[in-house]
Amino acid sequence: MNSFTQHVSRRDFIGKVGTASASVLLSSLPVFASPAVQKRVALVGTGIRALDMWSRDLVQSYPDKVSFVGLCDINPGRLEFFKRATGFTCPTFTDFEKMMKETKPDLLIVTTVDATHHEFIIRGMELGADIITEKPLTTDEQKCEAILQAEKRTGKKVLVTFNYRYSPQRAKIYELLRSGTIGTLTSVDFHWYLDVHHGADYFRRWHRLKEKSGTLWVHKATHHFDLLNWWIESDPSEVYATGALNFYGKNNSFRHTHCRPCPHKSSCSFYWDINRDSLLTNLYVNNEKHDGYLRDGCVWKEDINIYDSMAATIRYENGVQVSYSLTAYSPYEGYRIAFNGTKGRIDAWIEESNPVEPKEYDEIVVTKNFSTREFIRVPHSSGHGGGDRLMKDSIFRVNTNDPLHQSASVRDGALSILVGIAARTSCETGAPVKIADLTSIKPGMKRQFVQG
Ligand SMILES: NC(=O)c1ccc[n+]([C@@H]2O[C@H](COP(=O)([O-])OP(=O)(O)OC[C@H]3O[C@@H](n4cnc5c(N)ncnc54)[C@H](O)[C@@H]3O)[C@@H](O)[C@H]2O)c1
């Protein structure tokens, strides 16, 4: 009888786990918080992420910490709508340099298209601001090195918003790994599925172009590689990968520019009416005249130059091996992960869409060699599993504890994209890529924690 056929005991930890995780999470490191100081905040890139995550909620939740002094976007119509939608009264700019010089912010939030992040991060620091940037830090190794050098040169700080680290299920996995319950971690099996709705959306938008998103290896998988780097608590060393465009783009017999005028509306399963969502109409459709950006682009467009099917083998400095895959056309969305250790295994999964059975919790299963199996249930909530709120609290509340080491420095941001950049390069060259060959970062056996 092996460990999988032995008697299984089932214990529920609802509540207990949720409370424990939340209490430690709320006290994590506030890199930018300082007592009783209201930061002058500017933001560049007034799109949907900025609106949802980094606008009204910040001033409502942290009124003593945040005061918006400037907003910038190259699309004047979107900028104007953002101002109306948020009710902000600060000045708006289409010229970034002008905004920085006139408003002199302490803190700059960067929420532009990925391939442009470095421009604002570097210039923002040079003009005196600390930076909060949306993931990914940037899209290639040269821009990454330029950011690392600018941080050293200016003495300013860059924080990358890795909200995925803050979801209660993932925090619980981190605790289990550190507790030694499965012995020494030796390998990880990690498979992420994007569905034919959310996954398809990457192929409609600017994300479909490598020159804007760095491919999903960087744009999307930066989250996954950051989770791996954090969970494994070591630096990635080498990556070998393959990728293909098997489903979207050229893989269809018909196509058009975008959905609204499409003659194939009635026969295309991916037809999507953007105007059914008035927020998206206001943000994008009404402002096409300024930049020509079509938010409802055709998923079959032949200019799509990113992969929709990806697989990588990643080796870490501490010897842990990872088998990773990302598929962008699944019937359901979510992930499956397993951590293999010398004393047992941790299995976890999330079904974000079209679940087999809807649940109020996320499950983790710990199976010990020659022993029993434990089922751990972690209640989940909205906003990337509750992670968005917990992450913002960790940034803007004053408390210097970060027991789960969830704060992400520029080094963490860099190492997560470097895995994706290495994977993309490996797909293109057919050879494995060493992380140490990409930038001045020297990967180490043990992850370097953010200092408080
Ligand atoms: N952490 C997460 O879970 C998460 C979720 C969604 C998006 N994001 C990130 O947020 C960022 C924004 O994504 P989004 O979905 O809001 O995209 P979006 O297209 O809605 O918004 C991007 C905005 O940047 C503006 N912009 C582009 N280039 C610019 C430039 N040179 N100068 C000034 N403005 C410029 C565009 O006009 C647009 O308004 C991306 O980096 C994305 O990866 C993160």
Side-chain angles (χ1 to χ4, degrees):
M1 193 160 60
N2 64 28
S3 59
F4 270 80
T5 55
Q6 285 177 351
H7 169 73
V8 170
S9 73
R10 186 174 180 91
R11 283 167 47 193
D12 293 345
F13 285 80
I14 300 179
K16 185 177 162 199
V17 166
T19 315
S21 291
S23 63
V24 286
L25 286 166
L26 282 168
S27 61
S28 55
L29 185 72
V31 173
F32 293 102
S34 42
V37 175
Q38 197 182 41
K39 299 277 180 191
R40 295 170 59 78
V41 179
L43 180 144
V44 59
T46 57
I48 188 76
R49 183 65 178 164
L51 193 58
D52 279 352
M53 180 78 178
W54 301 109
S55 61
R56 271 170 310 193
D57 177 64
L58 279 196
V59 285
Q60 280 162 7
S61 303
Y62 315 99
D64 52 331
K65 295 285 164 51
V66 173
S67 164
F68 272 85
V69 295
L71 299 170
C72 174
D73 200 287
I74 38 169
N75 187 312
R78 191 144 48 241
L79 189 53
E80 197 43 46
F81 172 70
F82 188 94
K83 192 172 175 181
R84 264 189 287 127
T86 54
F88 286 0
T89 51
C90 62
T92 57
F93 301 82
T94 50
D95 180 334
F96 175 74
E97 195 81 11
K98 192 163 185 278
M99 174 177 81
M100 292 300 293
K101 287 182 175 158
E102 287 186 12
T103 66
K104 298 187 175 42
D106 307 307
L107 182 61
L108 172 71
I109 301 177
V110 179
T111 46
T112 56
V113 167
D114 302 350
T116 66
H117 286 181
H118 68 295
E119 296 171 28
F120 306 111
I121 294 171
I122 294 171
R123 196 64 189 131
M125 287 194 285
E126 287 172 352
L127 292 171
D130 286 318
I131 310 291
I132 291 179
T133 180
E134 263 300 347
K135 50 53 57 175
L137 176 64
T138 182
T139 50
D140 70 36
E141 62 272 40
Q142 290 81 16
K143 293 173 182 174
C144 180
E145 184 61 31
I147 292 171
L148 295 170
Q149 295 307 328
E151 202 198 38
K152 276 192 203 144
R153 191 173 68 241
T154 59
K156 292 291 162 188
K157 283 272 164 270
V158 181
L159 182 138
V160 186
T161 56
F162 282 122
N163 46 346
Y164 281 30
R165 289 183 181 191
Y166 291 82
S167 104
Q169 185 210 36
R170 295 171 198 143
K172 184 63 194 169
I173 291 172
Y174 180 90
E175 289 178 313
L176 287 167
L177 289 169
R178 299 289 86 73
S179 76
T181 187
I182 60 162
T184 304
L185 179 66
T186 53
S187 69
V188 185
D189 316 325
F190 193 11
H191 304 288
W192 202 288
Y193 312 103
L194 297 169
D195 70 13
V196 283
H197 305 284
H198 180 225
D201 219 27
Y202 292 106
F203 296 81
R204 291 193 175 100
R205 296 180 282 164
W206 50 261
H207 312 61
R208 75 182 189 283
L209 301 172
K210 174 185 167 183
E211 52 277 23
K212 300 221 165 175
S213 67
T215 76
L216 294 180
W217 275 126
V218 175
H219 174 82
K220 187 68 191 172
T222 182
H223 276 307
H224 314 155
F225 298 143
D226 178 66
L227 285 174
L228 286 168
N229 296 351
W230 173 59
W231 277 324
I232 295 170
E233 224 166 60
S234 176
D235 291 341
S237 162
E238 190 172 55
V239 184
Y240 173 75
T242 58
L245 181 63
N246 285 325
F247 188 81
Y248 301 106
K250 60 186 184 316
N251 297 289
N252 197 38
S253 57
F254 61 79
R255 57 190 45 79
H256 199 68
T257 51
H258 56 304
C259 283
R260 274 162 290 154
C262 183
H264 309 288
K265 270 181 198 172
S266 55
S267 54
C268 182
S269 316
F270 289 85
Y271 169 67
W272 175 63
D273 184 359
I274 187 173
N275 285 323
R276 291 180 68 172
D277 184 329
S278 62
L279 175 65
L280 298 184
T281 304
N282 279 315
L283 262 178
Y284 304 107
V285 178
N286 293 349
N287 298 309
E288 284 168 1
K289 55 184 175 290
H290 299 291
D291 59 9
Y293 175 54
L294 300 171
R295 172 65 182 77
D296 61 341
C298 178
V299 300
W300 311 120
K301 257 184 169 170
E302 282 180 321
D303 68 352
I304 291 173
N305 61 1
I306 62 170
Y307 309 107
D308 56 22
S309 322
M310 289 145 272
T313 299
I314 309 160
R315 193 172 173 81
Y316 278 75
E317 288 287 333
N318 66 357
V320 170
Q321 302 178 146
V322 175
S323 174
Y324 169 86
S325 75
L326 175 59
T327 304
Y329 46 88
S330 291
Y332 58 85
E333 179 139 332
Y335 63 85
R336 288 174 188 278
I337 190 159
F339 298 85
N340 302 295
T342 51
K343 293 184 182 166
R345 173 178 161 107
I346 297 170
D347 285 275
W349 58 91
I350 289 214
E351 293 171 320
E352 284 181 356
S353 76
N354 200 10
V356 175
E357 184 194 339
K359 294 190 188 117
E360 296 297 310
Y361 54 85
D362 299 320
E363 204 152 29
I364 301 171
V365 183
V366 181
T367 313
K368 294 197 180 157
N369 294 348
F370 315 110
S371 182
T372 53
R373 186 175 285 165
E374 271 190 349
F375 292 81
I376 298 173
R377 290 176 172 184
V378 186
H380 61 71
S381 49
S382 62
H384 293 103
D388 284 348
R389 165 59 54 212
L390 291 166
M391 183 183 68
K392 281 194 272 196
D393 282 346
S394 83
I395 296 171
F396 293 103
R397 281 183 200 280
V398 179
N399 189 329
T400 49
N401 288 330
D402 183 19
L404 304 188
H405 301 292
Q406 283 156 307
S407 276
S409 65
V410 73
R411 189 175 191 278
D412 294 323
L415 282 168
S416 80
I417 55 162
L418 290 176
V419 178
I421 291 165
R424 189 180 70 209
T425 307
S426 180
C427 287
E428 289 165 0
T429 62
V433 175
K434 287 197 185 335
I435 299 296
D437 291 345
L438 297 175
T439 63
S440 56
I441 290 181
K442 295 289 160 254
M445 279 272 286
K446 188 96 181 100
R447 179 187 156 216
Q448 290 177 18
F449 299 134
V450 174
Q451 300 301 312

